[in-house]
Amino acid sequence: MNDHDKSSIDRRSVIKAAASAGLVGLAGCSGGAPDEGDGGDGGDGGDGESTDTSTDSGSETYTIGMVDSLSGSLSAFGQRNQRGKEIALDDVNSVGVGGGELEISQQDDQSTSQGGVSAAQTLVNQEEVPLLIGTVGSGVSTAIHESVVQNTDVVQISQNSTSPNLTNFPDLLRMPPAGKAQAEAISTLLDEDGNESAALAWINNDYGQSVGEAFIEAYDGEIVYNEPHDQGQSSYSSTISSMANTDADAWVFITYQPEFATMSQEAFDLGVTDQAAWYGGDSVKGPKVLESAPEGSLDGMKAVVPSVPQDAENYQAFVSEFEERFGEEPTSWSAYAYDAVVVSALAIEAADEFTGSALMEVVRDVTRPEGEEATTYEDAHEILANGGSPSDVDYTGVSGPIDLDENGDPVGLLQVFEVVDHAYESSGFIEG
Protein backbone atom coordinates (compact mmCIF):
# COMPACT_ATOMS: atom_id res chain seq x y z
CA MET A 1 0.00 0.00 0.00
CA ASN A 2 1.10 3.58 -0.65
CA ASP A 3 2.58 5.69 2.10
CA HIS A 4 0.03 8.39 1.31
CA ASP A 5 -1.83 9.72 4.27
CA LYS A 6 -5.29 8.92 2.97
CA SER A 7 -6.93 10.09 6.17
CA SER A 8 -5.87 13.70 5.70
CA ILE A 9 -8.88 14.76 3.73
CA ASP A 10 -9.11 18.25 2.28
CA ARG A 11 -12.64 19.61 2.31
CA ARG A 12 -13.36 20.76 -1.23
CA SER A 13 -15.70 23.59 -1.97
CA VAL A 14 -18.74 22.57 -4.01
CA ILE A 15 -20.76 25.03 -6.04
CA LYS A 16 -24.39 24.46 -5.12
CA ALA A 17 -26.11 27.65 -6.20
CA ALA A 18 -25.85 26.90 -9.91
CA ALA A 19 -27.00 23.30 -9.63
CA SER A 20 -30.72 23.89 -9.99
CA ALA A 21 -30.13 26.53 -12.65
CA GLY A 22 -28.39 23.85 -14.71
CA LEU A 23 -31.74 22.17 -15.21
CA VAL A 24 -33.01 25.00 -17.36
CA GLY A 25 -33.42 23.86 -20.95
CA LEU A 26 -33.10 20.16 -20.17
CA ALA A 27 -36.79 19.34 -20.47
CA GLY A 28 -36.48 18.61 -24.18
CA CYS A 29 -33.21 16.70 -23.91
CA SER A 30 -33.49 12.92 -23.97
CA GLY A 31 -30.91 10.71 -22.31
CA GLY A 32 -28.40 9.30 -24.78
CA ALA A 33 -26.95 5.77 -24.74
CA PRO A 34 -24.99 3.21 -26.56
CA ASP A 35 -26.57 -0.30 -26.35
CA GLU A 36 -29.17 -2.77 -25.12
CA GLY A 37 -28.70 -2.30 -21.55
CA ASP A 38 -30.61 -2.66 -6.09
CA GLY A 39 -29.71 0.64 -5.05
CA GLY A 40 -26.26 1.60 -3.90
CA ASP A 41 -24.57 1.18 -0.62
CA GLY A 42 -25.64 4.61 0.58
CA GLY A 43 -23.45 7.53 1.46
CA ASP A 44 -22.15 9.40 4.43
CA GLY A 45 -23.37 12.72 3.07
CA GLY A 46 -25.89 15.26 4.15
CA ASP A 47 -23.88 16.85 6.95
CA GLY A 48 -21.21 18.46 4.80
CA GLU A 49 -18.48 16.14 6.09
CA SER A 50 -16.08 14.06 4.03
CA THR A 51 -17.29 10.81 2.50
CA ASP A 52 -14.21 9.12 4.00
CA THR A 53 -15.09 7.46 7.31
CA SER A 54 -13.58 4.97 9.72
CA THR A 55 -14.96 1.51 10.35
CA ASP A 56 -15.11 -0.10 13.76
CA SER A 57 -11.80 -1.81 13.05
CA GLY A 58 -10.14 1.55 12.38
CA SER A 59 -9.69 1.10 8.63
CA GLU A 60 -10.85 3.79 6.24
CA THR A 61 -13.93 3.65 4.02
CA TYR A 62 -13.73 5.55 0.75
CA THR A 63 -17.17 6.40 -0.63
CA ILE A 64 -17.57 7.36 -4.27
CA GLY A 65 -20.79 7.97 -6.20
CA MET A 66 -22.50 6.18 -9.04
CA VAL A 67 -25.36 7.38 -11.24
CA ASP A 68 -26.91 4.49 -13.15
CA SER A 69 -30.02 3.84 -15.21
CA LEU A 70 -31.93 1.60 -12.82
CA SER A 71 -35.28 2.44 -14.40
CA GLY A 72 -36.52 3.77 -17.73
CA SER A 73 -35.62 2.80 -21.28
CA LEU A 74 -31.92 2.30 -20.52
CA SER A 75 -32.44 0.02 -17.51
CA ALA A 76 -31.13 -3.01 -19.43
CA PHE A 77 -27.75 -1.27 -19.34
CA GLY A 78 -28.16 -0.43 -15.69
CA GLN A 79 -28.82 -4.05 -14.75
CA ARG A 80 -25.63 -5.14 -16.49
CA ASN A 81 -23.69 -2.32 -14.84
CA GLN A 82 -24.89 -3.40 -11.42
CA ARG A 83 -23.52 -6.87 -11.95
CA GLY A 84 -20.16 -5.64 -13.19
CA LYS A 85 -20.01 -3.19 -10.28
CA GLU A 86 -20.71 -5.93 -7.72
CA ILE A 87 -17.90 -8.14 -9.00
CA ALA A 88 -15.48 -5.19 -9.10
CA LEU A 89 -16.30 -4.13 -5.54
CA ASP A 90 -15.62 -7.65 -4.30
CA ASP A 91 -12.32 -7.82 -6.19
CA VAL A 92 -11.22 -4.42 -4.87
CA ASN A 93 -12.25 -5.00 -1.26
CA SER A 94 -10.72 -8.48 -1.11
CA VAL A 95 -7.38 -6.70 -1.56
CA GLY A 96 -8.17 -3.33 0.00
CA VAL A 97 -7.70 0.25 -1.11
CA GLY A 98 -5.82 2.97 0.75
CA GLY A 99 -5.68 0.79 3.84
CA GLY A 100 -9.44 0.40 3.87
CA GLU A 101 -12.36 -0.44 1.62
CA LEU A 102 -14.37 1.07 -1.20
CA GLU A 103 -18.08 1.83 -1.01
CA ILE A 104 -20.36 3.17 -3.73
CA SER A 105 -23.31 5.44 -3.00
CA GLN A 106 -25.78 5.12 -5.85
CA GLN A 107 -28.62 7.08 -7.44
CA ASP A 108 -31.02 6.29 -10.31
CA ASP A 109 -31.10 8.68 -13.29
CA GLN A 110 -34.36 7.14 -14.58
CA SER A 111 -32.76 7.18 -18.07
CA THR A 112 -33.32 10.94 -18.40
CA SER A 113 -31.13 14.04 -18.28
CA GLN A 114 -33.20 15.71 -15.59
CA GLY A 115 -33.14 12.55 -13.48
CA GLY A 116 -29.37 12.31 -13.95
CA VAL A 117 -28.76 15.89 -12.90
CA SER A 118 -30.92 15.43 -9.79
CA ALA A 119 -29.10 12.19 -8.91
CA ALA A 120 -25.69 13.81 -9.37
CA GLN A 121 -26.70 16.81 -7.26
CA THR A 122 -27.46 14.47 -4.39
CA LEU A 123 -24.11 12.71 -4.66
CA VAL A 124 -21.90 15.73 -5.40
CA ASN A 125 -23.56 18.57 -3.53
CA GLN A 126 -25.00 16.73 -0.54
CA GLU A 127 -22.80 13.67 -0.05
CA GLU A 128 -19.70 15.43 -1.41
CA VAL A 129 -18.25 12.43 -3.21
CA PRO A 130 -14.92 13.30 -4.90
CA LEU A 131 -15.45 10.81 -7.75
CA LEU A 132 -18.64 10.03 -9.68
CA ILE A 133 -19.17 7.04 -11.95
CA GLY A 134 -21.96 7.95 -14.34
CA THR A 135 -23.75 7.19 -16.45
CA VAL A 136 -25.26 5.18 -19.33
CA GLY A 137 -26.83 7.78 -21.63
CA SER A 138 -24.47 10.14 -23.42
CA GLY A 139 -26.87 13.05 -23.12
CA VAL A 140 -27.36 12.28 -19.44
CA SER A 141 -23.60 12.15 -18.85
CA THR A 142 -23.01 15.50 -20.52
CA ALA A 143 -25.97 17.08 -18.68
CA ILE A 144 -24.50 15.90 -15.38
CA HIS A 145 -21.10 17.24 -16.33
CA GLU A 146 -22.30 20.66 -17.48
CA SER A 147 -24.84 21.20 -14.68
CA VAL A 148 -23.14 19.59 -11.69
CA VAL A 149 -19.52 18.52 -12.18
CA GLN A 150 -17.95 21.33 -14.20
CA ASN A 151 -16.26 23.98 -12.04
CA THR A 152 -15.82 21.53 -9.18
CA ASP A 153 -12.87 19.18 -8.65
CA VAL A 154 -15.04 16.05 -8.89
CA VAL A 155 -13.80 13.30 -11.21
CA GLN A 156 -16.51 11.90 -13.54
CA ILE A 157 -16.13 8.55 -15.32
CA SER A 158 -18.93 7.33 -17.57
CA GLN A 159 -19.29 3.58 -17.61
CA ASN A 160 -21.28 3.37 -20.89
CA SER A 161 -21.54 6.65 -22.84
CA THR A 162 -20.23 6.54 -26.41
CA SER A 163 -21.29 9.84 -28.01
CA PRO A 164 -18.50 11.62 -29.92
CA ASN A 165 -19.54 14.81 -28.08
CA LEU A 166 -17.99 13.57 -24.83
CA THR A 167 -14.60 14.16 -26.43
CA ASN A 168 -15.36 17.89 -26.15
CA PHE A 169 -15.27 17.56 -22.35
CA PRO A 170 -11.72 16.39 -21.52
CA ASP A 171 -12.51 15.94 -17.82
CA LEU A 172 -15.48 13.69 -18.58
CA LEU A 173 -13.72 10.33 -18.77
CA ARG A 174 -15.27 7.17 -20.14
CA MET A 175 -14.61 3.45 -20.47
CA PRO A 176 -16.16 2.53 -23.90
CA PRO A 177 -14.78 3.75 -27.23
CA ALA A 178 -16.24 6.90 -28.77
CA GLY A 179 -19.15 6.53 -31.15
CA LYS A 180 -17.30 8.24 -34.00
CA ALA A 181 -15.28 5.08 -34.61
CA GLN A 182 -18.50 3.06 -34.55
CA ALA A 183 -20.13 5.38 -37.10
CA GLU A 184 -17.11 5.17 -39.37
CA ALA A 185 -17.16 1.37 -39.17
CA ILE A 186 -20.86 1.28 -40.14
CA SER A 187 -20.09 3.56 -43.08
CA THR A 188 -17.28 1.25 -44.19
CA LEU A 189 -19.64 -1.74 -44.11
CA LEU A 190 -22.14 0.06 -46.34
CA ASP A 191 -19.43 1.00 -48.82
CA GLU A 192 -17.95 -2.49 -48.86
CA ASP A 193 -21.39 -4.00 -49.45
CA GLY A 194 -21.99 -1.71 -52.45
CA ASN A 195 -24.75 0.44 -50.97
CA GLU A 196 -24.87 3.72 -52.89
CA SER A 197 -27.66 5.36 -50.85
CA ALA A 198 -28.76 5.23 -47.23
CA ALA A 199 -31.77 6.19 -45.12
CA LEU A 200 -30.68 7.19 -41.61
CA ALA A 201 -32.97 7.11 -38.56
CA TRP A 202 -31.48 8.44 -35.32
CA ILE A 203 -32.84 8.90 -31.83
CA ASN A 204 -33.42 12.53 -30.96
CA ASN A 205 -30.72 13.16 -28.37
CA ASP A 206 -27.00 13.75 -28.04
CA TYR A 207 -26.08 10.14 -28.77
CA GLY A 208 -28.23 9.79 -31.87
CA GLN A 209 -27.37 13.17 -33.33
CA SER A 210 -23.61 12.98 -32.83
CA VAL A 211 -23.21 9.39 -34.04
CA GLY A 212 -25.53 10.12 -36.96
CA GLU A 213 -23.49 13.16 -37.94
CA ALA A 214 -20.30 11.10 -37.77
CA PHE A 215 -21.85 8.49 -40.06
CA ILE A 216 -22.93 11.11 -42.61
CA GLU A 217 -19.45 12.63 -42.61
CA ALA A 218 -17.82 9.25 -43.23
CA TYR A 219 -20.26 7.77 -45.76
CA ASP A 220 -19.36 8.05 -49.45
CA GLY A 221 -22.89 7.41 -50.74
CA GLU A 222 -26.04 9.55 -50.89
CA ILE A 223 -28.12 10.21 -47.76
CA VAL A 224 -31.74 10.13 -48.94
CA TYR A 225 -33.39 10.22 -45.50
CA ASN A 226 -31.99 11.80 -42.35
CA GLU A 227 -34.56 12.24 -39.59
CA PRO A 228 -34.74 11.91 -35.80
CA HIS A 229 -37.31 10.01 -33.77
CA ASP A 230 -38.26 10.52 -30.14
CA GLN A 231 -37.53 8.09 -27.35
CA GLY A 232 -40.27 5.96 -25.79
CA GLN A 233 -42.96 6.21 -28.48
CA SER A 234 -45.55 3.45 -28.83
CA SER A 235 -45.22 3.38 -32.63
CA TYR A 236 -42.59 4.29 -35.23
CA SER A 237 -44.58 3.33 -38.30
CA SER A 238 -44.20 6.84 -39.74
CA THR A 239 -40.41 6.51 -39.56
CA ILE A 240 -40.46 3.10 -41.25
CA SER A 241 -42.92 4.25 -43.94
CA SER A 242 -40.80 7.31 -44.71
CA MET A 243 -37.66 5.20 -45.02
CA ALA A 244 -39.47 2.77 -47.29
CA ASN A 245 -40.57 5.59 -49.58
CA THR A 246 -36.96 6.56 -50.32
CA ASP A 247 -35.93 3.36 -52.13
CA ALA A 248 -32.57 3.61 -50.32
CA ASP A 249 -30.15 0.71 -50.73
CA ALA A 250 -29.51 0.61 -46.98
CA TRP A 251 -31.32 1.57 -43.78
CA VAL A 252 -29.17 2.69 -40.85
CA PHE A 253 -30.52 2.82 -37.30
CA ILE A 254 -28.81 4.80 -34.52
CA THR A 255 -31.30 4.27 -31.72
CA TYR A 256 -32.04 2.23 -28.59
CA GLN A 257 -33.09 -1.36 -28.20
CA PRO A 258 -36.77 -0.82 -27.23
CA GLU A 259 -37.28 1.69 -30.06
CA PHE A 260 -35.58 -0.52 -32.63
CA ALA A 261 -37.53 -3.60 -31.51
CA THR A 262 -40.74 -1.69 -32.23
CA MET A 263 -39.43 -0.48 -35.60
CA SER A 264 -38.40 -3.95 -36.75
CA GLN A 265 -41.79 -5.41 -35.84
CA GLU A 266 -43.63 -2.61 -37.64
CA ALA A 267 -41.43 -3.00 -40.72
CA PHE A 268 -42.42 -6.66 -40.84
CA ASP A 269 -46.10 -5.79 -40.41
CA LEU A 270 -45.83 -3.28 -43.27
CA GLY A 271 -44.08 -5.82 -45.48
CA VAL A 272 -40.97 -3.68 -46.08
CA THR A 273 -38.32 -5.60 -44.13
CA ASP A 274 -36.65 -6.90 -47.30
CA GLN A 275 -36.71 -3.58 -49.12
CA ALA A 276 -33.18 -2.57 -48.06
CA ALA A 277 -30.08 -3.87 -46.32
CA TRP A 278 -30.20 -3.10 -42.56
CA TYR A 279 -27.32 -1.74 -40.47
CA GLY A 280 -27.02 -0.23 -37.04
CA GLY A 281 -25.13 0.68 -33.93
CA ASP A 282 -24.89 -1.36 -30.78
CA SER A 283 -28.56 -1.18 -29.81
CA VAL A 284 -29.76 -3.13 -32.85
CA LYS A 285 -28.00 -6.08 -31.26
CA GLY A 286 -29.70 -7.44 -28.19
CA PRO A 287 -32.05 -10.08 -26.83
CA LYS A 288 -35.09 -7.79 -26.92
CA VAL A 289 -34.61 -7.30 -30.66
CA LEU A 290 -34.62 -10.94 -31.68
CA GLU A 291 -37.29 -11.84 -29.12
CA SER A 292 -39.74 -9.39 -30.66
CA ALA A 293 -38.80 -9.87 -34.33
CA PRO A 294 -40.47 -12.62 -36.39
CA GLU A 295 -38.17 -15.56 -37.08
CA GLY A 296 -35.78 -14.77 -39.93
CA SER A 297 -37.06 -11.23 -40.51
CA LEU A 298 -33.74 -9.62 -39.56
CA ASP A 299 -31.41 -12.12 -41.23
CA GLY A 300 -28.59 -10.27 -42.96
CA MET A 301 -28.68 -7.22 -40.68
CA LYS A 302 -25.24 -6.02 -39.55
CA ALA A 303 -24.39 -4.26 -36.30
CA VAL A 304 -21.20 -2.63 -35.05
CA VAL A 305 -20.86 -2.78 -31.27
CA PRO A 306 -18.21 -1.91 -28.67
CA SER A 307 -16.47 -5.13 -27.74
CA VAL A 308 -13.90 -6.71 -25.46
CA PRO A 309 -10.77 -8.84 -25.97
CA GLN A 310 -12.65 -12.11 -25.64
CA ASP A 311 -9.57 -14.37 -25.53
CA ALA A 312 -7.77 -12.34 -22.84
CA GLU A 313 -7.17 -14.25 -19.60
CA ASN A 314 -8.58 -11.53 -17.36
CA TYR A 315 -11.74 -11.23 -19.44
CA GLN A 316 -12.26 -14.99 -19.36
CA ALA A 317 -11.90 -14.92 -15.57
CA PHE A 318 -14.51 -12.15 -15.48
CA VAL A 319 -16.84 -14.21 -17.68
CA SER A 320 -16.49 -17.24 -15.40
CA GLU A 321 -17.28 -15.22 -12.28
CA PHE A 322 -20.20 -13.48 -13.99
CA GLU A 323 -21.71 -16.74 -15.22
CA GLU A 324 -21.29 -18.39 -11.83
CA ARG A 325 -23.08 -15.53 -10.06
CA PHE A 326 -25.74 -14.56 -12.55
CA GLY A 327 -26.23 -17.57 -14.81
CA GLU A 328 -25.52 -15.75 -18.08
CA GLU A 329 -22.64 -14.29 -20.07
CA PRO A 330 -21.71 -10.65 -19.50
CA THR A 331 -21.92 -8.02 -22.21
CA SER A 332 -19.20 -5.50 -22.94
CA TRP A 333 -21.22 -2.96 -20.92
CA SER A 334 -20.79 -5.03 -17.74
CA ALA A 335 -17.06 -5.10 -18.43
CA TYR A 336 -16.95 -1.30 -18.82
CA ALA A 337 -18.76 -0.88 -15.50
CA TYR A 338 -16.31 -3.26 -13.84
CA ASP A 339 -13.34 -1.31 -15.15
CA ALA A 340 -14.85 2.03 -14.13
CA VAL A 341 -14.88 0.81 -10.52
CA VAL A 342 -11.37 -0.65 -10.67
CA VAL A 343 -9.87 2.48 -12.27
CA SER A 344 -11.56 4.54 -9.54
CA ALA A 345 -10.06 2.34 -6.84
CA LEU A 346 -6.58 2.54 -8.39
CA ALA A 347 -6.84 6.33 -8.49
CA ILE A 348 -7.69 6.33 -4.78
CA GLU A 349 -4.72 4.05 -4.07
CA ALA A 350 -2.35 6.18 -6.15
CA ALA A 351 -3.45 9.66 -5.06
CA ASP A 352 -1.86 11.68 -2.28
CA GLU A 353 -5.24 12.30 -0.68
CA PHE A 354 -8.90 11.46 -1.15
CA THR A 355 -9.95 14.62 -2.98
CA GLY A 356 -11.21 15.18 -6.50
CA SER A 357 -8.20 17.25 -7.50
CA ALA A 358 -5.76 14.61 -6.27
CA LEU A 359 -7.69 11.81 -7.97
CA MET A 360 -7.81 13.71 -11.27
CA GLU A 361 -4.02 14.05 -11.24
CA VAL A 362 -3.51 10.28 -11.31
CA VAL A 363 -6.62 8.65 -12.82
CA ARG A 364 -5.35 8.72 -16.41
CA ASP A 365 -1.82 7.67 -15.48
CA VAL A 366 -2.83 4.32 -13.97
CA THR A 367 -4.28 3.23 -17.36
CA ARG A 368 -1.51 4.33 -19.70
CA PRO A 369 0.95 2.06 -21.53
CA GLU A 370 4.09 3.70 -20.15
CA GLY A 371 3.72 1.68 -16.94
CA GLU A 372 4.00 -2.00 -16.12
CA GLU A 373 1.00 -3.89 -17.47
CA ALA A 374 -1.36 -5.19 -14.80
CA THR A 375 -4.43 -7.13 -15.85
CA THR A 376 -6.07 -7.36 -12.41
CA TYR A 377 -6.75 -4.91 -9.61
CA GLU A 378 -4.59 -7.02 -7.30
CA ASP A 379 -1.56 -6.83 -9.61
CA ALA A 380 -1.95 -3.07 -10.14
CA HIS A 381 -2.44 -2.52 -6.41
CA GLU A 382 0.75 -4.45 -5.68
CA ILE A 383 2.80 -2.15 -7.94
CA LEU A 384 1.53 0.88 -6.04
CA ALA A 385 1.91 -0.83 -2.66
CA ASN A 386 5.56 -1.52 -3.41
CA GLY A 387 6.27 2.17 -3.91
CA GLY A 388 5.34 2.53 -7.57
CA SER A 389 4.06 5.84 -8.87
CA PRO A 390 0.81 6.19 -10.86
CA SER A 391 2.78 6.22 -14.11
CA ASP A 392 4.39 2.90 -13.13
CA VAL A 393 1.00 1.19 -13.58
CA ASP A 394 -0.71 0.30 -16.85
CA TYR A 395 -4.02 -1.24 -15.85
CA THR A 396 -5.31 -3.28 -18.79
CA GLY A 397 -8.89 -4.03 -17.89
CA VAL A 398 -11.36 -6.78 -18.65
CA SER A 399 -12.74 -4.48 -21.35
CA GLY A 400 -9.34 -3.94 -22.98
CA PRO A 401 -6.31 -1.67 -22.77
CA ILE A 402 -8.18 1.56 -21.74
CA ASP A 403 -5.19 3.98 -22.14
CA LEU A 404 -7.20 7.14 -21.38
CA ASP A 405 -6.02 10.03 -23.55
CA GLU A 406 -6.04 13.79 -22.97
CA ASN A 407 -9.71 13.92 -24.01
CA GLY A 408 -10.73 11.21 -21.55
CA ASP A 409 -11.28 8.69 -24.35
CA PRO A 410 -10.01 5.09 -24.21
CA VAL A 411 -8.57 2.81 -26.82
CA GLY A 412 -11.30 0.32 -27.62
CA LEU A 413 -12.39 -2.58 -29.76
CA LEU A 414 -15.43 -2.78 -32.03
CA GLN A 415 -17.03 -6.01 -33.19
CA VAL A 416 -19.14 -6.59 -36.29
CA PHE A 417 -22.13 -8.92 -36.01
CA GLU A 418 -24.51 -10.25 -38.66
CA VAL A 419 -27.88 -11.88 -38.03
CA VAL A 420 -27.80 -15.41 -39.45
CA ASP A 421 -30.68 -17.86 -38.88
CA HIS A 422 -32.15 -15.47 -36.30
CA ALA A 423 -28.95 -15.33 -34.26
CA TYR A 424 -26.03 -12.88 -34.04
CA GLU A 425 -22.76 -14.18 -35.48
CA SER A 426 -19.46 -12.32 -35.16
CA SER A 427 -17.67 -11.44 -38.37
CA GLY A 428 -14.59 -9.74 -36.99
CA PHE A 429 -13.05 -6.98 -34.86
CA ILE A 430 -12.05 -3.38 -35.55
CA GLU A 431 -9.87 -1.24 -33.27
CA GLY A 432 -11.75 1.88 -32.25
Side-chain angles (χ1 to χ4, degrees):
M1 177 174 52
N2 267 352
D3 298 330
H4 304 318
D5 182 9
K6 302 285 185 182
S7 62
S8 69
I9 309 298
D10 285 355
R11 293 279 304 278
R12 57 180 173 79
S13 60
V14 179
I15 298 177
K16 300 181 181 179
S20 59
L23 285 170
V24 176
L26 287 178
C29 178
S30 299
D35 174 20
E36 3 158 41
D38 5 297
D41 300 314
D44 184 48
D47 59 0
E49 294 303 315
S50 166
T51 53
D52 175 67
T53 61
S54 296
T55 65
D56 291 339
S57 62
S59 62
E60 302 295 340
T61 299
Y62 301 97
T63 302
I64 62 175
M66 184 175 189
V67 177
D68 202 5
S69 298
L70 304 179
S71 62
S73 63
L74 304 178
S75 59
F77 285 103
Q79 293 164 9
R80 291 167 173 80
N81 290 337
Q82 291 302 294
R83 294 172 174 182
K85 178 203 75 173
E86 288 176 22
I87 296 174
L89 270 176
D90 287 349
D91 287 351
V92 167
N93 288 330
S94 67
V95 176
V97 59
E101 67 176 16
L102 180 67
E103 287 191 356
I104 297 178
S105 180
Q106 186 162 274
Q107 294 285 324
D108 180 14
D109 65 21
Q110 302 171 17
S111 302
T112 68
S113 294
Q114 188 163 356
V117 170
S118 177
Q121 286 172 338
T122 298
L123 294 167
V124 173
N125 296 348
Q126 296 180 29
E127 299 187 20
E128 296 191 341
V129 297
L131 187 148
L132 180 70
I133 297 174
T135 181
V136 176
S138 298
V140 186
S141 287
T142 54
I144 289 171
H145 192 74
E146 292 184 291
S147 298
V148 183
V149 173
Q150 267 186 342
N151 302 319
T152 73
D153 60 3
V154 174
V155 177
Q156 182 182 356
I157 305 174
S158 170
Q159 65 268 44
N160 287 168
S161 299
T162 62
S163 167
N165 283 348
L166 268 70
T167 301
N168 298 325
F169 301 93
D171 289 337
L172 204 179
L173 315 179
R174 58 171 151 195
M175 292 294 102
K180 182 178 180 181
Q182 187 181 37
E184 291 171 346
I186 295 171
S187 171
T188 298
L189 287 178
L190 265 70
D191 290 334
E192 290 177 347
D193 292 345
N195 296 291
E196 297 181 356
S197 61
L200 172 65
W202 48 276
I203 196 157
N204 191 17
N205 59 26
D206 178 76
Y207 162 70
Q209 181 176 0
S210 57
V211 176
E213 288 174 350
F215 167 78
I216 292 170
E217 183 178 346
Y219 181 51
D220 290 334
E222 181 184 4
I223 304 295
V224 295
Y225 176 87
N226 174 24
E227 295 294 336
H229 53 270
D230 290 333
Q231 185 176 348
Q233 301 298 301
S234 59
S235 174
Y236 294 96
S237 59
S238 62
T239 295
I240 295 299
S241 295
S242 296
M243 296 174 79
N245 288 335
T246 65
D247 291 327
D249 294 335
W251 293 359
V252 179
F253 299 90
I254 307 298
T255 188
Y256 297 157
Q257 199 176 148
E259 286 72 15
F260 180 73
T262 300
M263 290 179 187
S264 61
Q265 177 64 59
E266 291 180 333
F268 179 82
D269 293 340
L270 291 170
V272 296
T273 302
D274 297 331
Q275 184 170 313
W278 286 35
Y279 300 82
D282 34 89
S283 288
V284 307
K285 177 188 179 294
K288 290 182 180 178
V289 172
L290 293 185
E291 286 170 9
S292 61
E295 187 81 21
S297 62
L298 293 179
D299 281 1
M301 181 179 72
K302 294 181 180 179
V304 177
V305 306
S307 190
V308 293
Q310 295 183 344
D311 295 332
E313 185 176 337
N314 61 341
Y315 179 70
Q316 287 301 316
F318 175 69
V319 170
S320 296
E321 179 66 20
F322 198 98
E323 290 178 335
E324 182 177 341
R325 288 201 194 193
F326 307 116
E328 63 181 19
E329 290 187 7
T331 66
S332 57
W333 309 108
S334 304
Y336 296 135
Y338 177 97
D339 282 339
V341 174
V342 171
V343 169
S344 300
L346 290 174
I348 294 170
E349 183 67 34
D352 291 328
E353 57 192 10
F354 188 54
T355 63
S357 57
L359 295 172
M360 182 60 83
E361 287 181 6
V362 301
V363 66
R364 285 177 171 85
D365 289 342
V366 297
T367 72
R368 285 179 168 168
E370 291 78 12
E372 178 183 347
E373 184 179 39
T375 58
T376 66
Y377 172 77
E378 183 175 10
D379 290 345
H381 176 275
E382 184 176 354
I383 295 171
L384 296 169
N386 290 333
S389 70
S391 58
D392 290 327
V393 178
D394 173 20
Y395 173 65
T396 298
V398 299
S399 66
I402 304 178
D403 296 347
L404 291 172
D405 65 17
E406 66 277 6
N407 296 316
D409 291 336
V411 171
L413 290 175
L414 298 169
Q415 191 170 9
V416 180
F417 287 90
E418 182 174 354
V419 179
V420 178
D421 295 330
H422 210 63
Y424 295 103
E425 289 189 2
S426 174
S427 57
F429 291 87
I430 303 169
E431 187 170 296

